[in-house]
Amino acid sequence: MKRNKLVQHKWKKKLFALILVVFCLGSLLFMQTRYHHVAGLVSLQHRFVSEPEVQGPKIAFLFIARNRLPLEMVWDAFFRGGDSKFSIFVHCRPGFLLNKATTRSPYFLNRQVNDSVQVEWGEASMIEAERVLLRHALSDPLNDRFVFLSDSCIPLYNFSYTYDYIMSTSTSFVDSFADTKEGRYNPKMDPVIPVYNWRKGSQWGVLTRKHAKVVVEDETVFLMFQRYCKKKPLPEFWRAHYIPADTSKVHNCIPDEHYVQTLLAQKGLEEEITRRSLTHTSWDISNSREYDRRGWHPVTYKYSDATPMLLNFIKEIDNIYFETEYRREWCSSKGKPSTCFLFARKFTRTAALRLLNMVSSCMLYNFLEE
């Protein structure tokens, strides 16, 4: 009897030991499986962190503004279709902040550069503002095109069409032509800037990354502009400034209308640019009866001007004639004839909002559309 009990006791110990071994092996196997699962998740997470999704090239939109951006809601509608293909930089007066109190668009929040300069029209400070914007935009290696815009510019098409148009060519778009009529060239610039490299055009261009670097790295042409390219005093300003004895000998040089064009000519890069702007500006004021539409400044489009007819007129322009070079530039995109302009200026806030309201009410079917 005692023998049977002893045998049963031994079998119980063996069975318990076997169960314990199986449990330990099972636990070990379970823990090993969990380890590999967790390790796999960590590895996957690490891969997503260290190897982010590859993004395509971006367009940097560089706004030169006084303070607020009065047309921000038009641009807000434009940027909604941009995904991650753009970045925004704004040059405002020093100390001005784009926060929730000064902008209603999330795209412009805190997008002001922190080292802006005080800009005066017709002074070299305008081209310095361009250089400041380019320095900031170049810090992002994905920025591949750089578009200069004023605070009165509007887009004429949606983001997709604009992006494809700009990225379809390897060239910059810089309005550039020989300046042979106005006598803005100062002979004191020679021989650093010879007269045969002197160019004129709109400052509202589009630069490739290569050309943007050329502008930022320039230490020679910019200094010549600071010294010798200055605006001629206007009669209404004479009371506050020294009146030259003979104003006919003063070179009326507007730096932002010459700098980038002349610099690229100096560097022998004109073969790498499309010599026209993508921003429409109206200088034809011969028929205007309004005093504020005359002078050196372009036409400002007011509320009454903001009509489908105006936009269709601008969007149907397919060539530009450069009188000083007897050259007509027929506009093209992707090797096919196309419209010349993607943007237009100068629009007041009420005019731009009227156009945007027309979109909302379906009155203007092609504004911000391809």
Side-chain angles (χ1 to χ4, degrees), residues 150-170:
S150 75
D151 55 9
S152 67
C153 284
I154 64 167
L156 297 174
Y157 299 91
N158 63 26
F159 183 90
S160 177
Y161 180 84
T162 302
Y163 182 90
D164 290 343
Y165 192 113
I166 292 175
M167 301 302 294
S168 66
T169 176
S170 61

Side-chain angles (χ1 to χ4, degrees), residues 36-246:
H36 285 301
H37 178 68
V38 173
L41 291 176
V42 172
S43 176
L44 185 63
Q45 183 181 18
H46 177 73
R47 185 161 67 249
F48 281 134
V49 172
S50 60
E51 300 177 13
E53 182 182 351
V54 178
Q55 293 183 344
K58 297 192 296 185
I59 296 177
F61 291 85
L62 313 179
F63 291 86
I64 297 180
R66 297 173 181 82
N67 297 308
R68 296 170 181 257
L69 289 161
L71 312 186
E72 61 183 0
M73 299 316 295
V74 176
W75 287 102
D76 185 276
F78 173 79
F79 287 126
R80 288 176 200 168
D83 298 326
S84 57
K85 295 181 180 179
F86 68 91
S87 56
I88 297 172
F89 299 86
V90 184
H91 185 285
C92 307
R93 65 172 172 78
F96 185 83
L97 300 178
L98 287 166
N99 52 34
K100 291 183 178 180
T102 57
T103 179
R104 295 171 57 191
S105 171
Y107 294 111
F108 292 104
L109 277 175
N110 303 315
R111 298 314 305 160
Q112 76 283 342
V113 295
N114 57 13
D115 53 350
S116 62
V117 297
Q118 185 64 46
V119 173
E120 298 293 338
W121 179 82
E123 301 289 345
S125 56
M126 179 66 82
I127 56 179
E128 176 58 18
E130 295 178 356
R131 286 155 55 91
V132 169
L133 284 167
L134 287 175
R135 279 194 290 269
H136 283 271
L138 283 168
S139 65
D140 184 343
L142 291 178
N143 286 333
D144 196 62
R145 296 292 191 277
F146 304 81
V147 181
F148 285 111
L149 298 161
S150 75
D151 55 9
S152 67
C153 284
I154 64 167
L156 297 174
Y157 299 91
N158 63 26
F159 183 90
S160 177
Y161 180 84
T162 302
Y163 182 90
D164 290 343
Y165 192 113
I166 292 175
M167 301 302 294
S168 66
T169 176
S170 61
T171 66
S172 294
F173 289 90
V174 179
D175 186 37
S176 177
F177 53 90
D179 179 26
T180 60
K181 288 190 172 183
E182 298 188 62
R184 293 188 176 189
Y185 176 76
N186 191 332
K188 293 181 180 180
M189 292 182 173
D190 190 65
V192 177
I193 305 175
V195 67
Y196 56 79
N197 281 337
W198 185 248
R199 300 289 185 270
K200 183 183 178 184
S202 167
Q203 75 178 104
W204 311 112
V206 179
L207 299 181
T208 62
R209 189 172 181 89
K210 174 183 176 180
H211 295 162
K213 288 182 178 180
V214 169
V215 174
V216 168
E217 295 169 0
D218 169 43
E219 297 180 353
T220 305
V221 175
F222 179 66
L223 292 178
M224 288 292 101
F225 270 74
Q226 283 184 312
R227 293 175 185 172
Y228 303 118
C229 184
K230 300 178 183 295
K231 67 184 178 184
K232 183 178 180 178
L234 292 172
E236 58 264 34
F237 296 153
W238 283 2
R239 293 182 181 179
H241 292 74
Y242 167 72
I243 305 175
D246 184 2

Side-chain angles (χ1 to χ4, degrees), residues 27 30 82 93 170 205 213 218 280 304 316-317:
S27 298
F30 175 77
R93 65 172 172 78
S170 61
K213 288 182 178 180
D218 169 43
H280 178 268
S304 59
E316 289 174 359
I317 297 174

